[in-house]
Protein backbone atom coordinates (compact mmCIF):
# COMPACT_ATOMS: atom_id res chain seq x y z
CA UNK A 1 0.00 0.00 0.00
CA UNK A 2 1.49 3.37 -0.94
CA UNK A 3 1.78 5.97 1.78
CA UNK A 4 -0.81 8.71 1.98
CA UNK A 5 1.17 11.94 2.13
CA UNK A 6 0.87 13.73 5.42
CA UNK A 7 -0.05 17.41 5.17
CA UNK A 8 2.33 20.30 5.80
CA UNK A 9 4.75 19.97 8.68
CA UNK A 10 3.77 16.36 9.29
CA UNK A 11 5.16 15.24 5.91
CA UNK A 12 8.70 14.72 7.22
CA UNK A 13 7.40 12.02 9.60
CA UNK A 14 5.85 9.86 6.87
CA UNK A 15 9.02 7.80 6.21
CA UNK A 16 9.50 7.23 9.94
CA UNK A 17 5.91 6.02 10.37
CA UNK A 18 6.06 3.95 7.18
CA UNK A 19 9.18 2.14 8.37
CA UNK A 20 8.73 1.95 12.17
CA UNK A 21 4.99 2.50 12.77
CA UNK A 22 3.98 1.99 16.39
CA UNK A 23 7.64 1.67 17.48
CA UNK A 24 8.26 5.24 16.24
CA UNK A 25 5.23 6.50 18.17
CA UNK A 26 6.37 4.77 21.35
CA UNK A 27 10.00 5.77 20.98
CA UNK A 28 9.42 9.44 20.23
CA UNK A 29 6.87 9.84 23.02
CA UNK A 30 9.02 7.99 25.59
CA UNK A 31 12.01 10.19 24.77
CA UNK A 32 9.99 13.40 24.79
CA UNK A 33 8.29 12.63 28.09
CA UNK A 34 11.67 11.75 29.57
CA UNK A 35 12.78 15.27 28.69
CA UNK A 36 14.60 14.90 25.39
CA UNK A 37 13.37 17.41 22.78
CA UNK A 38 11.90 15.21 20.04
CA UNK A 39 8.55 15.73 18.26
CA UNK A 40 6.35 13.48 20.43
CA UNK A 41 3.08 15.36 19.96
CA UNK A 42 3.82 15.78 16.27
CA UNK A 43 4.34 12.07 15.66
CA UNK A 44 1.20 11.31 17.68
CA UNK A 45 -0.85 13.61 15.44
CA UNK A 46 0.77 12.11 12.33
CA UNK A 47 0.03 8.58 13.60
CA UNK A 48 -3.60 9.57 14.18
CA UNK A 49 -3.78 10.86 10.60
CA UNK A 50 -2.31 7.54 9.45
CA UNK A 51 -4.93 5.73 11.52
CA UNK A 52 -7.64 7.78 9.83
CA UNK A 53 -6.23 6.67 6.48
CA UNK A 54 -6.32 3.03 7.58
CA UNK A 55 -2.54 2.62 7.86
CA UNK A 56 -2.51 2.27 11.68
CA UNK A 57 -5.10 1.37 14.29
CA UNK A 58 -6.15 4.37 16.40
CA UNK A 59 -6.70 2.22 19.51
CA UNK A 60 -3.21 0.75 19.19
CA UNK A 61 -1.74 4.22 18.59
CA UNK A 62 -3.47 5.45 21.75
CA UNK A 63 -2.39 2.47 23.84
CA UNK A 64 1.23 2.66 22.70
CA UNK A 65 1.26 6.42 23.29
CA UNK A 66 -0.18 6.15 26.82
CA UNK A 67 2.29 3.42 27.80
CA UNK A 68 5.18 5.39 26.30
CA UNK A 69 4.12 8.61 28.03
CA UNK A 70 3.91 6.88 31.39
CA UNK A 71 7.27 5.12 30.86
CA UNK A 72 9.00 8.34 29.81
CA UNK A 73 7.48 10.40 32.62
CA UNK A 74 8.30 7.84 35.26
CA UNK A 75 11.84 7.36 33.98
CA UNK A 76 12.44 11.10 34.10
CA UNK A 77 10.84 11.24 37.52
CA UNK A 78 13.07 8.43 38.79
CA UNK A 79 16.20 10.21 37.59
CA UNK A 80 15.07 13.37 39.33
CA UNK A 81 13.90 11.56 42.46
CA UNK A 82 17.04 9.53 43.03
CA UNK A 83 19.60 12.03 41.79
CA UNK A 84 18.01 15.44 41.62
CA UNK A 85 16.37 16.14 44.96
CA UNK A 86 19.62 17.05 46.72
CA UNK A 87 20.56 19.36 43.87
CA UNK A 88 17.13 21.01 43.85
CA UNK A 89 17.21 21.53 47.59
CA UNK A 90 20.74 22.93 47.42
CA UNK A 91 19.99 25.52 44.74
CA UNK A 92 16.19 25.83 45.00
CA UNK A 93 16.46 28.54 47.61
CA UNK A 94 17.50 30.95 44.86
CA UNK A 95 14.11 30.57 43.17
CA UNK A 96 11.97 30.16 46.30
CA UNK A 97 11.79 26.37 46.22
CA UNK A 98 11.78 24.96 49.73
CA UNK A 99 11.71 21.36 50.88
CA UNK A 100 8.04 21.73 51.85
CA UNK A 101 7.11 23.08 48.39
CA UNK A 102 9.05 20.31 46.67
CA UNK A 103 7.23 17.68 48.76
CA UNK A 104 3.89 19.20 47.76
CA UNK A 105 4.83 19.15 44.04
CA UNK A 106 6.00 15.54 44.25
CA UNK A 107 2.73 14.51 45.89
CA UNK A 108 0.78 16.18 43.11
CA UNK A 109 2.62 14.26 40.40
CA UNK A 110 2.22 10.84 42.03
CA UNK A 111 1.73 7.85 39.65
CA UNK A 112 -2.08 7.95 39.44
CA UNK A 113 -2.06 11.59 38.34
CA UNK A 114 0.80 10.87 35.95
CA UNK A 115 -1.20 8.08 34.30
CA UNK A 116 -4.34 10.19 34.13
CA UNK A 117 -2.34 13.00 32.58
CA UNK A 118 -0.87 10.63 29.99
CA UNK A 119 -4.34 9.35 29.03
CA UNK A 120 -5.70 12.88 28.65
CA UNK A 121 -2.61 14.08 26.76
CA UNK A 122 -2.73 11.17 24.30
CA UNK A 123 -6.49 11.54 23.81
CA UNK A 124 -6.19 15.24 23.02
CA UNK A 125 -3.33 14.91 20.55
CA UNK A 126 -4.62 11.75 18.87
CA UNK A 127 -8.03 13.38 18.45
CA UNK A 128 -6.40 16.39 16.83
CA UNK A 129 -5.02 14.26 14.01
CA UNK A 130 -7.75 11.63 13.62
CA UNK A 131 -10.24 12.69 10.94
CA UNK A 132 -13.90 12.84 11.88
CA UNK A 133 -16.36 11.14 9.57
Amino acid sequence: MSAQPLPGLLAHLAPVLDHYGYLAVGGFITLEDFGIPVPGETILIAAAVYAGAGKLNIVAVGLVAVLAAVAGDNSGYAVGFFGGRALVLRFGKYVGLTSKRLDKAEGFFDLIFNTLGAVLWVGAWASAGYPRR
Side-chain angles (χ1 to χ4, degrees):
M1 178 190 298
S2 65
Q4 296 281 349
L6 290 169
L9 296 173
L10 300 178
H12 71 284
L13 292 173
V16 176
L17 284 171
D18 286 336
H19 190 63
Y20 297 104
Y22 301 108
L23 183 62
V25 174
F28 275 50
I29 291 173
T30 298
L31 291 174
E32 183 187 62
D33 283 19
F34 180 76
I36 298 172
V38 297
E41 284 96 353
T42 308
I43 202 155
L44 181 55
I45 292 170
V49 171
Y50 260 43
K55 296 182 71 67
L56 294 173
N57 179 293
I58 191 63
V59 174
V61 167
L63 182 60
V64 166
V66 166
L67 293 174
V70 171
D73 285 346
N74 283 306
S75 297
Y77 175 82
V79 168
F81 181 78
F82 293 110
R85 185 174 179 86
L87 188 66
V88 169
L89 290 176
R90 182 174 181 186
F91 296 104
K93 62 185 173 188
Y94 298 110
V95 294
L97 186 59
T98 65
S99 180
K100 184 177 178 180
R101 287 181 178 165
L102 184 58
D103 289 341
K104 187 175 180 179
E106 287 174 339
F108 181 75
F109 290 106
D110 206 354
L111 177 62
I112 191 70
F113 290 109
N114 183 38
T115 303
L116 177 60
V119 169
L120 294 173
W121 177 82
V122 167
W125 286 107
S127 295
Y130 192 70
R132 310 220 190 272
R133 294 186 185 152

